[in-house]
Amino acid sequence: MSPEYLLRSLLMLILALFSANASNWLYLAKLSSSGSISEEEACERLRGLAQRQVQICKRNLEVMEAVRGGARLAIHECQHQFRNRRWNCSTLETQHILGRVVTQGTREAAFVYAISSASVAFEVTRACSSGDLQKCGCDRNVHGPGPDGFQWSGCSDNIAYGVAFSASFVDVRERGKGSSSSRALMNLHNNEAGRKAILNNMRVECKCHGVSGSCEVKTCWKAMPQFRKVGNILKEKFDGATEVEQRKVGTSRVLMPRNPQFKPHTDEDLVYLDPSPDFCDRDARSGVLGTAGRLCNRTSKAIDGCELMCCGRGFRTEQVEVVDRCSCRFHWCCYVRCKQCRRTAETHACR
Ligand SMILES: *[C@@H]1O[C@H](CO)[C@@H](O)[C@H](O)[C@H]1NC(C)=O
Ligand SMILES: *[C@@H]1O[C@H](CO)[C@@H](O)[C@H](O)[C@H]1NC(C)=O
């Protein structure tokens, strides 16, 4: 073996160890849309995937576009749900795409794991229903007469496929070595809670058939909830998340509420191990941006209010000019014409 070869192998090993630690598949959200994942080599080049996720990628090339869509959806929904909070789910340009906060056992990490495993299940299921994939389609098990005299028919969302794919792709990072660590147990629990938020909120959609809208024959199918609803549910779970610690029960290790007086969490609840920082000040090492410059509401007493958002540092008020549509008039027929009105408004931003 040449020394050059040895050196190269060593370098590769160090790189592999480093990236396994730092990687986060949510980084796929940053992949430019021109970089399609259409051949196996592309899987190796994707930043953020763990080694076993690369293997799954190679075996499921056609699903990877949905996984990438899932990464985008997760971040988009996270930013919506947290837009009025000190930690607002903003992304960084590093492979720690959401900062180190989500690599610790915090409540925020619990939410990110749950929303992202849900979003992969959601996007893969949607791809199945749209007929884009060879490996899956609509759920054909839902057919025949339904309970209220309707017929199951049409394309029912194949949530079982999406959930199973999410469980294998997202959970694989926690399986194997160290899979009984508290963090692995926490992540697996929250991943599952995310998928439950879809599974337990499936809707039935129906359509009537018959002469001029009469409902002689009704056909129905099962559909996933809107993803916004999934986000709302998980945000509520975030607010009520349970602080847990690992205990040994018999031979297995489980997470139990740290405070024994709290009622045990269910598999739909979010759990966390570590307290969160206050997110007030910039901390580049952890990827915390701090709240300086954040807009706040002067009259609100909640977390979006200037008092809490600015952590007592105070705020600056600026006059801004806002252009509204006003004195709108309906003209026969059929358009609306408005004037533009200018007014000044105040915005408040944290010091
Ligand atoms: C989140 O807050 C940071 C400052 O703390 C700000 O720069 C960023 O624009 C915000 N991101 C979103 C998505 O609101
Ligand atoms: C600010 O907070 C108050 C009280 O919670 C609320 O009524 C108002 O709509 C908020 N203003 C804005 C601009 O969000």
Side-chain angles (χ1 to χ4, degrees):
M1 247 184 280
S2 71
E4 204 174 308
Y5 176 82
L6 264 177
L7 197 63
R8 254 186 65 168
S9 312
L10 196 65
L11 257 172
M12 295 290 279
L13 184 70
I14 291 170
L15 268 177
L17 284 176
F18 178 75
S19 65
N21 226 349
S23 69
N24 188 328
W25 64 271
L26 282 176
Y27 196 80
L28 288 181
K30 297 248 166 173
L31 197 67
S32 78
S33 48
S34 60
S36 75
I37 312 165
S38 54
E39 44 192 45
E40 293 194 5
E41 290 89 76
C43 296
E44 312 246 8
R45 286 196 302 270
L46 292 175
R47 286 172 71 190
L49 294 198
Q51 198 48 48
R52 280 192 281 179
Q53 288 175 321
V54 173
Q55 303 306 325
I56 297 178
C57 172
K58 288 180 176 176
R59 291 197 303 272
N60 296 276
L61 282 175
E62 61 165 14
V63 183
M64 291 311 290
E65 207 47 51
V67 174
R68 184 203 341 208
R72 290 214 184 101
L73 182 62
I75 288 171
H76 182 258
E77 187 58 29
C78 181
Q79 293 185 342
H80 171 79
Q81 295 293 342
F82 286 82
R83 65 199 181 283
N84 290 329
R85 298 187 59 104
R86 287 180 188 164
W87 180 75
N88 65 1
C89 206
S90 49
T91 60
L92 314 169
E93 291 306 322
T94 70
Q95 281 192 51
H96 283 288
I97 180 169
L98 290 170
R100 270 176 219 271
V101 187
V102 307
T103 63
Q104 296 156 356
T106 58
R107 216 184 252 263
E108 286 75 19
F111 181 85
V112 167
Y113 275 75
I115 198 81
S116 47
S117 81
S119 67
V120 168
F122 188 89
E123 285 294 308
V124 170
T125 302
R126 199 153 71 165
C128 293
S129 296
S130 69
D132 291 345
L133 306 182
Q134 308 208 311
K135 289 194 178 170
C136 65
C138 308
D139 188 350
R140 296 284 165 211
N141 290 321
V142 185
H143 63 87
D148 290 329
F150 62 78
Q151 283 289 120
W152 287 117
S153 154
C155 180
S156 282
D157 279 332
N158 197 343
I159 185 64
Y161 189 91
V163 159
F165 185 87
S166 164
S168 75
F169 182 84
V170 180
D171 291 6
V172 73
R173 300 193 43 176
E174 319 297 336
R175 304 220 179 268
K177 206 167 49 137
S179 63
S180 61
S181 75
S182 304
R183 274 307 305 286
L185 290 176
M186 170 186 153
N187 295 346
L188 286 172
H189 176 95
N190 293 322
N191 288 350
E192 187 60 29
R195 294 186 289 262
K196 283 273 161 32
I198 305 180
L199 273 171
N200 295 346
N201 292 282
M202 294 294 285
R203 301 175 293 164
V204 176
E205 288 186 345
C206 296
K207 195 173 167 182
C208 283
H209 312 269
V211 219
S212 59
S214 75
C215 214
E216 278 160 60
V217 183
K218 196 160 100 170
T219 58
C220 303
W221 59 93
K222 291 196 176 154
M224 292 188 291
Q226 301 282 329
F227 200 72
R228 178 54 37 87
K229 182 168 179 195
V230 176
N232 292 344
I233 291 169
L234 291 177
K235 176 59 174 17
E236 243 170 64
K237 299 291 184 190
F238 168 91
D239 290 327
T242 309
E243 187 177 6
V244 292
E245 62 190 7
Q246 197 189 75
R247 302 234 186 88
K248 238 178 138 171
V249 174
T251 56
S252 58
R253 297 175 177 280
V254 292
L255 297 176
M256 307 264 260
R258 180 158 286 190
N259 182 342
Q261 316 209 303
F262 286 0
K263 77 174 178 8
H265 52 274
T266 71
D267 55 6
E268 293 171 54
D269 295 326
L270 298 189
V271 300
Y272 66 98
L273 296 158
D274 305 321
S276 300
D278 60 19
F279 298 111
C280 284
D281 301 312
R282 188 179 177 83
D283 172 5
R285 259 198 63 230
S286 307
V288 171
L289 297 173
T291 63
R294 286 287 300 276
L295 294 179
C296 58
N297 180 330
R298 202 167 59 91
T299 52
S300 167
K301 293 278 164 245
I303 190 69
D304 65 334
C306 294
E307 197 59 40
L308 286 175
M309 178 66 80
C310 308
C311 308
R313 295 186 307 262
F315 55 88
R316 270 188 295 266
T317 300
E318 258 184 50
Q319 312 285 331
V320 288
E321 194 182 55
V322 190
V323 181
D324 289 328
R325 280 149 51 96
C326 59
S327 339
C328 294
R329 269 236 176 94
F330 179 76
H331 291 262
W332 187 264
C333 180
C334 290
Y335 63 96
V336 176
R337 183 170 282 168
C338 300
K339 285 188 183 148
Q340 288 195 335
C341 296
R342 290 164 197 281
R343 64 185 171 89
T344 52
E346 288 189 332
T347 61
H348 313 286
C350 293
R351 286 183 190 279

